[in-house]
Amino acid sequence: MQSIETYDFTGKRAIIRVDFNVPLNDKLEITDDTRIRAAIPTIKKVLEKGGSVILMSHLGRPKNGPENKFSLKNIIPGIEARLGVKVDFAPDCMGEEAAQKAAALKPGEVLLLENLRFYAEEEGKPRGLAADATDEEKAAAKKALKASQKDFVKRLASYADCYINDAFGTAHRAHASTALIAEYFPNDKMFGYVMEGELKAIDKVLDNPARPFTAILGGSKVSTKISVIENLMKRVDNLILGGGMTYTFKAALGGKVGTSICESDQFDTALNVLKKAKEMNVNIYLADDAVCGNEFKNDTATQICPAGDIPDGWEGLDIGPKTREAFAKVIAESKTILWNGPVGVFEMDNFAVGSRAIADAIVAATEKGAFSLIGGGDSVACINKFGLADKVSYVSTGGGALLEYMEGIELPGVAAIRK
Ligand code: AMP
């Protein structure tokens, strides 16, 4: 496998799949350029080593072809500000101009292609099918798109001499630019620094953790986390389960959970997790007490209740003080920590206390030498809200991709480079 460190980029054009899916405000200005900043080291490395760069990405979820609000043109000033190099633009990633500009690139130059998802071929999902389309019509549309997707991938590949995938956030998708294109570069494909960093951090946790290894899984539902729970049970010593899923477990065990979020169709799944954990010698920690509110709002009346004995009309919105202490103790004694999902409704300050306690305990353990990985959608928002992102070992940028990797699924974007 090639590496960006050792590959000779002299005089070569590198096409880099970056994740420039940044949030924009109404004026189409970037409100958070974390993803652009993350991609800069990879781009700079290629330029420093005598290559030129073609950047490709998606932005948002355009469903009907080009739309100004999804144009990557809007973020050019944001890229130039961070990169310190002028960025040229090809307003149609399949257009003649794209091919010409790519061919004319000189070492040190950068070309950005327009949003790949202006073409259905990027994702390979047919668009514009009638709501009452028959299965045959759907299959025919899919077949036609697969055929044109081949041309799409081939054309993108024709712009460059080598391919770099640096978009971990989309690595769980077998899209044209994240996986299929790699086939055209059997000896000239590699990960960028974002991908390398993510994979190193996650593999360290999943494959070779210092023990005890504790995973804290929160979030709202058991159903969306069950595959992660099952895969992690094979690896961890301690599994802390928090957030809304607490109440499915408590109810499955015969508790009263008031109006807390509760998936009654997941009771068997929950009981099975507890049974398996016992068989596998994994310590499971569930909340003992809960901060309950009688409405789903920040300034609702609250009371602390046993998490399995919540009065009617009240719902568990955060872990209680006893639980905060118990969870923090387990975390303090851990050498590897993985946190996915807040343990309460952290978006409301009054119910962010439990998640803050988890974050503080992780920071303290990290200071004592533990390796801590935070990732998967809301946990990142949570650690950022507390301003503690730089006090843990690694914050993953990949929401869905990280979750699938943790489920043990081989990510197409990773496999395409490794194979
Ligand atoms: P997930 O995307 O599954 O990680 O879920 C994250 C969401 O779970 C956040 O928006 C939290 O507000 C929510 N959440 C955490 N704890 C609870 C709870 N006790 N009740 C309802 N929602 C919760």
Side-chain angles (χ1 to χ4, degrees):
M1 213 174 90
Q2 296 286 1
S3 133
I4 185 168
E5 282 299 325
T6 51
Y7 190 82
D8 182 6
F9 288 102
T10 317
K12 294 211 170 122
R13 292 163 303 162
I15 192 160
I16 313 181
R17 177 46 157 110
V18 285
D19 180 2
F20 281 171
N21 185 28
V22 290
L24 302 175
N25 62 17
D26 292 348
K27 290 189 213 138
L28 302 178
E29 296 157 340
I30 300 167
T31 54
D32 177 353
D33 76 345
T34 308
R35 288 174 171 162
I36 292 177
R37 280 186 283 121
I40 298 298
T42 296
I43 303 170
K44 278 199 169 150
K45 189 77 184 175
V46 175
L47 300 178
E48 275 163 21
K49 290 177 86 176
S52 55
V53 164
I54 301 154
L55 297 169
M56 56 175 175
S57 178
H58 75 285
L59 175 66
R61 293 170 184 243
K63 288 287 168 236
N64 301 304
E67 253 185 278
N68 186 42
K69 69 173 176 181
F70 296 123
S71 175
L72 282 167
K73 192 173 65 186
N74 300 314
I75 72 162
I76 291 175
I79 307 170
E80 288 179 336
R82 292 291 179 187
L83 187 62
V85 171
K86 192 184 165 312
V87 175
D88 197 5
F89 185 64
D92 172 356
C93 68
M94 289 288 110
E96 204 39 53
E97 206 179 330
Q100 278 167 7
K101 285 188 167 178
L105 276 174
K106 295 194 193 66
E109 291 183 343
V110 179
L111 171 68
L112 172 69
L113 302 182
E114 180 57 289
N115 195 341
L116 299 167
R117 290 196 191 168
F118 283 170
Y119 285 86
E121 283 79 359
E122 163 63 0
E123 294 177 278
K125 269 194 238 144
R127 292 176 183 168
L129 273 170
D132 59 354
T134 62
D135 285 350
E136 275 132 43
E137 283 165 341
K138 283 184 199 160
K142 201 154 191 189
K143 198 169 160 205
L145 186 60
K146 279 277 161 227
S148 59
Q149 191 183 44
K150 280 206 173 107
D151 298 333
F152 180 85
V153 177
K154 195 169 171 187
R155 186 164 175 99
L156 282 180
S158 74
Y159 300 158
D161 305 299
C162 58
Y163 167 63
I164 301 176
N165 189 350
D166 211 18
F168 183 71
T170 46
H172 57 317
R173 306 280 182 235
H175 292 168
S177 68
T178 62
L180 308 184
I181 192 173
E183 199 185 307
Y184 289 88
F185 302 96
N187 303 310
D188 302 277
K189 56 183 180 176
M190 65 212 93
F191 295 126
Y193 289 123
V194 174
M195 283 286 263
E196 266 183 15
E198 292 276 354
L199 296 172
K200 210 169 130 202
I202 306 164
D203 287 342
K204 182 172 168 134
V205 165
L206 293 184
D207 296 339
N208 197 15
R211 297 193 179 271
F213 175 12
T214 299
I216 306 123
L217 292 183
S220 49
K221 292 180 174 173
V222 176
S223 52
T224 56
K225 296 282 162 84
I226 185 63
S227 313
V228 180
I229 295 175
E230 283 176 347
N231 192 39
L232 285 179
M233 268 205 299
K234 296 180 210 148
R235 301 163 197 273
V236 300
D237 304 291
N238 305 309
L239 188 57
I240 294 177
L241 298 175
M245 65 179 146
T246 306
Y247 309 101
T248 300
F249 277 87
K250 292 287 175 183
L253 290 164
K256 272 182 63 189
V257 297
T259 50
S260 307
I261 190 168
C262 177
E263 295 173 283
S264 50
D265 59 341
Q266 296 292 317
F267 286 177
D268 287 346
T269 307
L271 294 175
N272 201 30
V273 164
L274 300 178
K275 185 169 153 254
K276 267 202 206 153
K278 214 176 224 164
E279 287 164 11
M280 296 166 91
N281 267 330
V282 173
N283 305 310
I284 293 243
Y285 297 87
L286 278 171
D288 199 24
D289 56 352
V291 183
C292 301
N294 63 356
E295 275 181 88
F296 192 82
K297 61 178 192 188
N298 188 44
D299 54 359
T300 179
T302 59
Q303 60 171 316
I304 313 288
C305 310
D309 193 10
I310 298 175
D312 292 344
W314 292 76
E315 63 179 307
L317 296 172
D318 196 5
I319 54 173
K322 263 201 251 169
T323 306
R324 291 201 292 267
E325 213 173 288
F327 286 3
K329 188 164 176 284
V330 178
I331 293 167
E333 288 160 5
S334 304
K335 290 276 183 294
T336 303
I337 302 158
L338 173 64
W339 183 23
N340 168 263
V343 294
V345 185
F346 79 101
E347 296 93 335
M348 302 183 205
D349 286 349
N350 290 338
F351 303 102
V353 181
S355 298
R356 173 80 206 211
I358 298 286
D360 286 338
I362 295 175
V363 167
T366 309
E367 275 165 8
K368 276 182 20 203
F371 183 82
S372 52
L373 169 63
I374 319 292
D378 276 331
S379 340
V380 177
C382 196
I383 200 89
N384 284 337
K385 174 174 171 147
F386 303 142
L388 296 173
D390 58 351
K391 296 205 157 47
V392 297
S393 310
Y394 197 84
V395 178
S396 171
T397 58
L402 179 76
L403 279 182
E404 290 197 17
Y405 206 77
M406 291 195 307
E407 284 172 31
I409 297 171
E410 183 172 53
L411 307 183
V414 174
I417 299 286
R418 283 187 176 155
K419 83 175 174 213

